[in-house]
Structure formats: C-alpha cells, structure tokens
Amino acid sequence: MSSLLAVGSVAIDSIKTPFGSRDRSLGGSATHFSVSASFFTDVAVVGVIGEDFTAEDESVFHEREINTNDLQRVPGGKTFFWAGEYGFDLNTAHTLDTQLNVFGDFNPKLSDEAKKSPYLFLGNIQPTLQREVRSQVDARFVAMDTMNLWIDIARDELIKTIGVVDALIINDAEARQLAQEPNLIKAAKAILEMGPKMLLIKRGEYGAALFTRDTYFATPAFPLENVFDPTGAGDSFAGGFMGYLAQTGNLEDMTVRRGIIYGSIMASFNVEEFSCDRLRRVKQEDIQNRLDQFNEFTYFDFEDSPNPRKRSARKVATTAALAK
Ligand code: AMP
C-alpha cells in the first residue's frame, strides 16, 4: 500500500509560452502531482491513458518509483489532451483546447490496496469522478484541486465534492469565481462554509496562503529569475504539500505550514523547464538548499527590538482579525 494516492489527469499537453513552445509535452494534474510528491513519500496514481501514451511518457513514473497499478490503459484510446498558452503574465493559463478522450468514460474501480491509502489527493478532473474515487478510499486526510472549467460547467457537482474533503487547494482567481466574491478573505470564509477544514490559495509568483476557520498563514513564492513554463505549478505545489504531510504523518499547525513551504519549493523547480523535465532531475540537496534560502528570506523576530512582542500575543491578534 502506498501512503499517498492521487487521482487526476495524465495528459499530453501542447504548450506555448513567451519563451518557447512544445507540441507534445507530458502533463496532467496527476503526473505533476505524483512526481513532486515522490520526493517525500511513496505515491500511487489512479488514472487512464490511451494507446498513444509511449514508454518514454511512462518512464518518469518508473524513474520516480510511482505505483502505476491503478493507471489503466485503454486499447485504441486517446490520452487526455490539453492545449494552453501563456502571455507575459505567467500566472494565467489560457486554455485553447481540452479533449477528455479516455477520461470521457473512465469509471475508476480501485484496487484493494489503493482503497487503504491514508492520504488522498483528488487532482483536477471532473468533480463527479473525484467523488467516485473519494467514496472508495478510507483516507485520514483528503485534499482536492479544481479549475475554472469545472466551476463554469459543473458547479453543483463541484460543491458536493468540496463538501467531502478536508482541504481545497485552488488559485486566487478560482477562489473568487467559486465564492462569487472579489475580496479574497471573504471568498475564503465563504468557501470554508462549503465544508473543508482547510483552504490553500495559490497566488502564482506571489506565493500561497492558508485559511482555516480560525487561523491564517501566508508565504511568498520562491523568487526565480527564469520562469519558463508554469504548467503544473499548482499540482507540484500540492504534491510537495501532501507528500510532506504523508511523510510526517501528523496534521499539526507547524507541519501544515512547512508543507506549504515544501510545496512552494517543488513548484519553483517545476516552472523552470517544460513538463516535469526539471523536477525529475531534482536532488534532495537541491530541495534542502531552497529550504534554507526560504527560511532566510522569510525570517524575522523581535528579540533585540526596543518593543519585544510575544509570539502568542501576535497569534491571538491574527485569529481575532479573521474571526470578525
Ligand atoms: P496546473 O498548471 O497545475 O493548473 O495544471 C496543468 C495541468 O492540468 C496540465 O498538464 C493539463 O494537462 C491539466 N489540465 C488542464 N485542463 C484540465 C482539465 N480540464 N481536467 C484535468 N486536467 C487538466
């Protein structure tokens, strides 16, 4: 049994960025997620591919020792296809084409092993499919992602799925759209009312924020000069986050915060090259180096301040501000 199970798209993408394009790029929410999470824990993928998915496409799963027993191959079928484009605002992906192909009639029947996974990630795919997988797994902690397409065309189904997870991980534009509320703090409160205990909002190059009913935490993104292809940033963020939670086995406040930092670091590697090209070459020491830098540039205290403050006093103030 793997500690962490992920369902989502395994895709062939066609990507255009201001710096280059690639017609056939290995992608998909489950792909980026599982490659990222595999640096922290043992991961298994639930999904479906077509006959056009090559041994080269599949090699990254084997290289990262990701369990593919629940990755079905449909003879004669075509793999999920997504075409996307980015302008100089790399935080916004413009979808040019989405072809569900083999995902159109995917009916996930999980193996007994997969059903026992303690951590589950419902990657971006139709919300009904996410719920079908969720209902089969008796997990301790379940997180999910989604995107504007499903908020547009399957809103009711999506809200039902959000109601059966512990954490929702989405970007700021999606949060505003889902809550129908332009203010992000109010949007976060409205989304927490839908059921999840935790909401993580990704803000691209500006970082990420965590909302619970009574706490708030935010971090910048790792500063990068060369962002090449942002595809999969959100999934590799979720992979680092969930991978770290599964590795530590607890859900304490500081573990969750560290998970967000690991997620941000994995996303920073992911965006440096097309597909998972950079992520798959990462070494544990590269992660450690970025972790040390992150610690350095987010650190501050009041120890030698003429007006020292206790941490607990500040914590209460933050909580009170959100509770208003
Ligand atoms: P991200 O950049 O992390 O939001 O995710 C990018 C990945 O999502 C790409 O590799 C696509 O293959 C995949 N993707 C795009 N649209 C969809 C969709 N409607 N359902 C599932 N996966 C999608």
Side-chain angles (χ1 to χ4, degrees):
M1 178 194 63
S2 301
S3 307
L4 175 55
L5 183 72
V7 63
S9 54
V10 176
I12 302 299
D13 292 343
S14 170
I15 310 281
K16 255 192 220 149
T17 82
F19 318 108
S21 57
R22 192 186 262 187
D23 276 344
R24 195 181 184 289
S25 184
L26 172 67
S29 52
T31 310
H32 291 287
F33 176 89
S34 58
V35 172
S36 170
S38 69
F39 287 87
F40 301 89
T41 192
D42 47 324
V43 193
V45 184
V46 180
V48 61
I49 49 177
E51 210 168 273
D52 53 344
F53 203 78
T54 64
E56 167 60 24
D57 296 327
E58 215 173 313
S59 62
V60 67
F61 295 105
H62 303 311
E63 199 179 288
R64 295 299 316 152
E65 296 181 18
I66 295 163
N67 179 331
T68 54
N69 293 346
D70 286 79
L71 183 63
Q72 291 173 27
R73 183 184 286 269
V74 177
K78 240 186 120 200
T79 302
F80 179 99
F81 175 79
W82 180 71
E85 187 171 13
Y86 304 85
F88 281 110
D89 171 13
L90 292 166
N91 287 336
T92 312
H94 302 283
T95 294
L96 305 175
D97 193 8
T98 302
Q99 297 171 16
L100 288 181
N101 297 331
V102 287
F103 266 102
D105 23 51
F106 179 50
N107 183 13
K109 290 264 176 295
L110 303 197
S111 60
D112 288 343
E113 234 199 333
K115 287 179 185 168
K116 292 187 217 137
S117 309
Y119 290 80
L120 172 65
F121 180 67
L122 308 173
N124 178 28
I125 197 71
Q126 293 106 313
T128 324
L129 263 181
Q130 291 178 311
R131 221 166 51 252
E132 270 168 31
V133 172
R134 202 271 165 261
S135 67
Q136 294 177 54
V137 186
D138 184 26
R140 270 179 58 193
F141 185 78
V142 185
M144 71 176 278
D145 186 13
T146 190
M147 73 181 294
N148 55 359
L149 175 73
W150 310 117
I151 306 175
D152 282 336
I153 69 169
R155 188 184 167 80
D156 293 348
E157 281 299 305
L158 177 63
I159 290 176
K160 273 197 220 162
T161 308
I162 293 173
V164 294
V165 300
D166 301 295
L168 175 65
I169 309 177
I170 52 178
N171 71 35
D172 50 351
E174 290 155 357
R176 290 187 174 96
Q177 187 190 352
L178 177 64
Q180 299 172 326
E181 165 58 58
N183 179 282
L184 205 58
I185 312 296
K186 285 188 187 159
K189 277 188 165 182
I191 293 169
L192 289 171
E193 291 294 313
M194 295 176 189
K197 297 185 217 42
M198 229 182 249
L199 170 66
L200 273 80
I201 297 188
K202 302 165 282 181
R203 301 192 298 185
E205 65 183 295
Y206 307 112
L210 163 76
F211 297 83
T212 68
R213 276 177 195 86
D214 51 16
T215 59
Y216 173 71
F217 171 70
T219 165
F222 189 87
L224 285 178
E225 273 189 42
N226 296 309
V227 179
F228 187 79
D229 172 17
T231 311
D235 303 305
S236 45
F237 172 88
F241 173 72
M242 288 291 282
Y244 182 69
L245 293 196
Q247 184 192 66
T248 55
N250 74 64
L251 293 166
E252 279 159 26
D253 185 47
M254 199 46 73
T255 305
V256 172
R257 290 178 182 217
R258 288 189 199 122
I260 292 171
I261 304 298
Y262 277 113
S264 307
I265 290 169
M266 300 317 278
S268 76
F269 288 117
N270 185 82
V271 301
E272 287 180 322
E273 292 178 28
F274 275 129
S275 184
C276 309
D277 292 5
R278 174 71 185 98
L279 208 51
R280 65 199 285 184
R281 296 198 318 272
V282 163
K283 306 259 175 304
Q284 290 295 343
E285 69 207 58
D286 301 327
I287 300 174
Q288 202 54 51
N289 280 339
R290 286 202 176 171
L291 186 66
D292 291 341
Q293 290 174 59
F294 224 116
N295 219 346
E296 184 60 32
F297 66 64
T298 52
Y299 180 80
F300 72 98
D301 66 34
F302 288 87
E303 269 160 29
D304 57 1
S305 152
N307 184 16
R309 291 171 70 83
K310 285 205 173 65
R311 183 177 181 276
S312 58
R314 296 201 308 278
K315 197 174 175 193
V316 170
T318 323
T319 308
L322 276 169
K324 267 187 213 150

